[in-house]
Amino acid sequence: MRTVYNGQKFIAQIIERDPTAWDEEQRVNKVVGFIPSDVATMLEVGVGSGAVFLRVKKEGRVRIFGLDLSSVLVRQLQEPKVCVADAGAIPFKDGAVDLVLAADVLEHVDEEAFARTVEELKRVSRKYILINSPYKDSIVWPVALCDRCGTEFNVYGHLRSIDLGLIRRHFPPSRFETLAVEETGPPRDGVPDAVALFARRLGKVYSADAAMCPRCFNDDIRPPARTLWQRWVGRGVWLAVLAARRLIPDFVKSRSEICVLLRKKAGGPEADDAATPHPRLDGGAVDGAADPAGVRIGSPPASRKLLFLTMVWPPSSSAGAVRVSRLARYLGEFGWDVSVVAGEDPGREPLFDQPPPGIDAIRLACRSVPELLAGFFGRRGPSAFPADREAGPAGESSGACLRSSFLRELFTLPDEFSPWCRLARREAGRLLSAERFDAILSSGPPESAHLAARALASRFGLPWVADMRDLWSLDHYRPFPWWKRAILRVLERKVLGRADRIVTVSSEWAEAETLLLRSGGGRAPKVDVIPNGFDPEAPRHCAVSPRTADGSPAGPLKLAYAGKLHPVHQDPSPLFGALRLLKGDVGHPGVSVDFYLTGHYRPPVSEIARRHGVDPRVVRVLPPVPSRELDGLLGGYHAVLLFPWQGVGWEGWHSLKVFSYMPLRRPILAVGERISASLRAVLEETGVGVHVASASTVADFLDRRSEDLLTGSWPFQEAAIARYSYLAHAERLAAVLHEASAGHPRR
């Protein structure tokens, strides 16, 4: 390729036809703006036309050096600090410069030289590596066919597609910290690789915008002759692509470029340092660059690598994001280095906190099946399927609702995020191919994570542990029709039966899952119980309640509820009945209740309270607040409320809310007729709350224990509470992973 890159015409066409040149000045400004303020020296690998090099040199803040494979470009620049060199053998010593820049370079490096080039970037950089590259650019289109030698080649000279996942695989989070990531440039319409390959093979569709063949240097390439059938195939494919772009927003659309700034972590394993030092430029050290000390930093204690697949990840409106992020965070304390492949945040209700520090998650943006179908049929929002709503639209027949419901359930097998499963398998497969992992952990719902994990575990021969935050076909919250539940049971036995271990949140659910897997006559992995928990680093709130002039606790008794409330299966009526009973008690300090409701379906709490004869000033429904503010807000109440699930599946219901309340050190009132044995055991063991079933028992409790609630003198069992922290749960999960790894037959 050296001869080709030295060809004057080839170089000119590469620079002129580069699709990333959307605005050269803006691109250069973006790259230069990423250079940190503490950089004194930098090296640009692949200076090309010299736009970035000359801008940095002109500003004078940073001493810049450069290299390029093309001697023609180097001669044109006429810069003494730019040399001819290969990116796979950089003639600089280890740690020679503060920052190494690779702008529009990596996409032109072939498979054989790519790993060597990346290692050279790591070796020469002392602090930072800055990568600027076309983002998710297809290498199968546009492609030209040389009519002289028959070579197919990308007309822009691109040999690989660069995305954030590829960068993080070659610059792992254990050694490099991602300081900044930005997608730049205008949105670009793409073509799926499979469609481009289909059009090329059957329709002989090639780009007419070709300049020079990299093998025979033919610079007069003519389009191939095509039959009538091939012409019709080509036209049909592109008409279908145009229709998809019209009907489906963001169809294979991405930004032109991506800028990623990486920083070397202090004390990380420096495998790059083992490379033999190269000769220095011009036989001497680079000016302003310090010599390496020659001391090798010791590696950290050996740890195992875990690949974690989960659709939910903070910030997210899903409560499950709390469990998966906290377990991932604290697994590092017990010898597991976690890499996460997650879904993109839908951004509907960003009430939860930020992702845990120290863990880089690869976020895969993917629209759900209902959203894709809504875009295809020209409909938007949750009304794309009438079954999504609590009731069908006015004037719509029940038959139409039934048909819509059937289609929705059919298209969402196994769940609404099945497109994400394909993306996760592809991205995680690249990670597993690039690095050595010891185990795979998946968490659902959505259960697409389990399907992806099963395929990857089978392909790479790794142990797999499945975390079931909710049951799958037996889920209490999702009312599947009978035919879909039957299909899901078969699929569940086939998928989860291949797991090495299964984890769920309650003993009742563990027993139900074991019975389901054994009912098919197949293999039933051991099901462990790791309940939900609380973050041990969450602040505790133990404020003293105000008192009156005579020293007695001041009222009224303030209660609060925060979160989702199912309009049918979580009933606050016993609480309102108790407030009505206490209304005539002159000796009681009074009660006020605040509801901070989230979710799409919110019951008419104020109306239910009014029907029970409760003063509207006593019960308030307030807007939801972010979790980082919610804990401090709830710390100002005397007690918090929990409404256990009363519908089908109540036996194993194990709410995350009871654990998120624990750091508040506020008594929990579980108000409802029925409560699972697991939840009752948690309340009794930790002393964090009580179960009150009816209006009379709620009123009696509030009357008898009002002084304890007002003064904060509640008998919490601190040692038992500590056993439910996510730190303790991560230790148990680490043990499960170690056991699964020890008992798994390696390939």
Side-chain angles (χ1 to χ4, degrees):
M1 292 295 291
R2 178 179 293 273
T3 304
V4 177
Y5 275 105
N6 282 341
Q8 188 75 275
K9 188 172 181 179
F10 185 84
I11 295 168
Q13 67 95 15
I14 285 292
I15 295 176
E16 291 175 2
R17 300 172 184 273
D18 193 340
T20 64
W22 46 277
D23 189 317
E24 184 69 8
E25 184 177 358
Q26 291 187 26
R27 187 184 72 88
V28 172
N29 290 339
K30 185 67 65 176
V31 173
V32 174
F34 266 69
I35 300 176
S37 59
D38 60 340
V39 170
T41 57
M42 66 176 287
L43 169 68
E44 183 180 7
V45 177
V47 295
S49 63
V52 176
F53 182 92
L54 295 176
R55 171 68 65 81
V56 174
K57 179 184 176 182
K58 181 180 179 180
E59 292 182 354
R61 181 175 62 87
V62 179
R63 293 196 74 181
I64 183 169
F65 303 85
L67 61 88
D68 200 282
L69 186 62
S70 170
S71 59
V72 176
L73 286 177
V74 173
R75 285 196 302 268
Q76 287 180 348
L77 284 176
Q78 296 182 353
E79 289 289 338
K81 293 185 179 179
V82 178
C83 67
V84 178
D86 190 344
I90 300 176
F92 282 68
K93 65 179 182 177
D94 297 3
V97 292
D98 294 330
L99 180 143
V100 175
L101 167 64
D104 296 331
V105 170
L106 296 181
E107 67 272 17
H108 297 289
V109 181
D110 59 27
E111 188 70 31
E112 180 181 354
F114 187 82
R116 187 171 68 252
T117 300
V118 169
E119 293 304 308
E120 284 292 273
L121 300 181
K122 298 176 185 177
R123 181 186 65 81
V124 175
S125 169
R126 185 186 305 120
K127 295 181 182 179
Y128 304 101
I129 296 176
L130 177 57
I131 297 173
N132 175 249
S133 177
Y135 184 48
K136 295 183 178 179
D137 191 46
S138 174
I139 62 173
V140 300
W141 184 259
V143 167
L145 175 66
C146 179
D147 58 339
R148 181 182 299 174
C149 67
T151 300
E152 293 181 346
F153 60 95
N154 184 282
V155 300
Y156 302 127
H158 293 179
L159 301 178
R160 62 173 55 250
S161 178
I162 306 297
D163 57 20
L164 191 57
L166 177 72
I167 294 173
R168 284 176 171 166
R169 286 197 302 274
H170 289 276
F171 299 90
S174 60
R175 299 173 57 192
F176 292 88
E177 179 184 2
T178 304
L179 296 182
V181 177
E182 184 173 348
E183 298 175 21
T184 60
R188 184 177 52 191
D189 290 321
V191 177
D193 288 354
V195 174
L197 290 171
F198 176 84
R200 192 191 310 165
R201 293 292 176 259
L202 294 185
K204 295 186 70 174
V205 178
Y206 290 94
S207 173
D209 190 27
M212 178 179 287
C213 173
R215 173 172 293 181
C216 68
F217 314 138
N218 176 19
D219 59 356
D220 186 21
I221 297 177
R222 300 177 181 180
R226 296 192 295 167
T227 64
L228 181 63
W229 161 252
Q230 290 170 335
R231 293 176 184 270
W232 278 107
V233 169
R235 291 176 182 176
V237 168
W238 296 123
L239 285 175
V241 171
L242 292 176
R245 289 176 179 173
R246 173 66 180 86
L247 296 174
I248 305 177
D250 302 327
F251 176 75
V252 198
K253 183 176 290 187
S254 64
R255 292 285 178 177
S256 298
E257 292 198 348
I258 186 171
C259 273
V260 183
L261 179 62
L262 306 164
R263 179 171 62 188
K264 281 189 172 182
K265 288 186 176 180
E270 297 294 335
D272 320 310
D273 292 342
T276 303
H278 288 270
R280 298 173 182 174
L281 184 62
D282 296 331
V286 177
D287 293 339
D291 289 326
V295 179
R296 296 289 182 255
I297 301 175
S299 300
S303 63
R304 297 190 175 190
K305 289 188 67 65
L306 174 69
L307 179 63
F308 197 175
L309 301 178
T310 172
M311 179 66 193
V312 297
W313 188 257
S316 170
S317 60
S318 170
V322 178
R323 174 181 173 91
V324 298
S325 63
R326 295 308 183 268
L327 288 175
R329 175 182 181 181
Y330 292 111
L331 275 172
E333 301 283 341
F334 305 101
W336 287 94
D337 181 14
V338 183
S339 298
V340 178
V341 176
E344 189 60 80
D345 176 40
R348 295 171 180 169
E349 292 184 63
L351 301 179
F352 291 92
D353 54 359
Q354 295 301 310
I359 297 180
D360 288 333
I362 299 177
R363 308 297 298 270
L364 303 176
C366 182
R367 304 173 70 189
S368 66
V369 172
E371 289 172 336
L372 290 173
L373 293 177
F376 183 79
F377 290 107
R379 306 174 74 174
R380 300 291 184 269
S383 60
F385 287 97
D388 286 348
R389 294 176 251 177
E390 293 181 272
E396 188 171 23
S397 68
S398 60
C401 286
L402 179 61
R403 288 193 297 272
S404 298
S405 176
F406 173 78
L407 290 176
R408 184 190 190 285
E409 299 294 345
L410 181 64
F411 280 119
T412 54
L413 275 169
D415 56 48
E416 295 181 352
F417 295 96
S418 53
W420 177 84
C421 177
R422 180 178 60 86
L423 296 179
R425 286 177 57 182
R426 182 178 62 187
E427 193 63 39
R430 292 175 180 174
L431 276 175
L432 294 171
S433 299
E435 300 181 55
R436 182 186 183 278
F437 281 81
D438 297 280
I440 299 175
L441 174 65
S442 61
S443 183
E447 285 75 18
S448 291
H450 299 321
L451 270 71
R454 176 188 179 274
L456 293 167
S458 175
R459 174 184 172 188
F460 292 93
L462 292 174
W464 164 39
V465 176
D467 174 38
M468 303 183 69
R469 305 190 310 273
D470 288 313
L471 296 180
W472 189 348
S473 62
L474 302 176
D475 187 17
H476 67 286
Y477 199 79
R478 293 174 285 181
F480 299 122
W482 65 268
W483 59 269
K484 184 173 184 178
R485 192 178 296 275
I487 295 175
L488 290 178
R489 287 187 178 185
V490 175
L491 183 61
E492 183 174 359
R493 286 194 291 262
K494 182 178 180 181
V495 173
L496 294 182
R498 298 288 298 274
D500 293 270
R501 295 283 280 272
I502 298 175
V503 171
T504 191
V505 300
S506 69
S507 57
E508 293 92 340
W509 285 2
E511 182 179 355
E513 186 65 24
T514 301
L515 291 175
L516 173 65
L517 295 177
R518 288 177 178 173
S519 64
R523 176 179 176 271
K526 180 181 178 181
V527 183
D528 299 272
V529 177
I530 298 180
N532 292 314
F534 66 92
D535 192 339
E537 296 183 2
R540 291 177 53 177
H541 300 272
C542 301
V544 179
S545 300
R547 295 179 178 270
T548 61
D550 61 358
S552 60
L557 184 63
K558 296 190 296 183
L559 310 179
Y561 177 85
K564 296 180 180 180
L565 192 64
H566 196 278
V568 177
H569 302 305
Q570 289 175 285
D571 185 15
S573 296
L575 173 67
F576 299 146
L579 298 181
R580 182 186 58 195
L581 294 175
L582 292 173
K583 185 168 58 174
D585 189 348
V586 295
H588 194 270
V591 180
S592 66
V593 185
D594 291 340
F595 286 83
Y596 300 90
L597 297 181
T598 63
H600 297 291
Y601 304 125
R602 304 175 185 177
V605 172
S606 300
E607 177 63 23
I608 298 174
R610 186 188 62 80
R611 289 201 301 263
H612 282 80
V614 178
D615 190 337
R617 294 171 296 180
V618 173
V619 177
R620 300 187 302 172
V621 179
L622 303 174
V625 297
S627 62
R628 58 183 176 274
E629 303 173 12
L630 184 62
D631 291 346
L633 187 64
L634 295 180
Y637 290 86
H638 298 105
V640 288
L641 297 167
L642 179 71
F643 298 101
W645 187 265
Q646 301 297 304
V648 175
W650 66 271
E651 297 89 347
W653 189 80
H654 208 56
S655 174
L656 173 68
K657 193 175 304 299
V658 65
F659 304 99
S660 63
Y661 283 159
M662 283 184 178
L664 301 174
R665 296 304 191 269
R666 294 292 182 267
I668 302 173
L669 275 64
V671 181
E673 179 182 354
R674 297 180 291 190
I675 186 174
S676 68
S678 296
L679 182 56
R680 184 191 301 275
V682 171
L683 296 177
E684 294 176 353
E685 177 188 359
T686 60
V688 296
V690 295
H691 173 223
V692 282
S694 62
S696 59
T697 55
V698 174
D700 180 65
F701 173 81
L702 293 176
D703 187 33
R704 289 186 299 103
R705 305 295 298 271
S706 60
E707 184 171 351
D708 293 337
L709 296 175
L710 288 170
T711 58
S713 56
W714 191 266
F716 295 105
Q717 304 298 318
E718 298 294 341
I721 292 176
R723 290 195 289 270
Y724 286 95
S725 72
Y726 276 120
L727 181 63
H729 293 344
E731 184 178 15
R732 296 176 61 187
L733 180 57
V736 171
L737 290 167
H738 282 295
E739 293 172 9
S741 301
H744 184 83
R746 290 273 181 173
R747 286 185 181 178

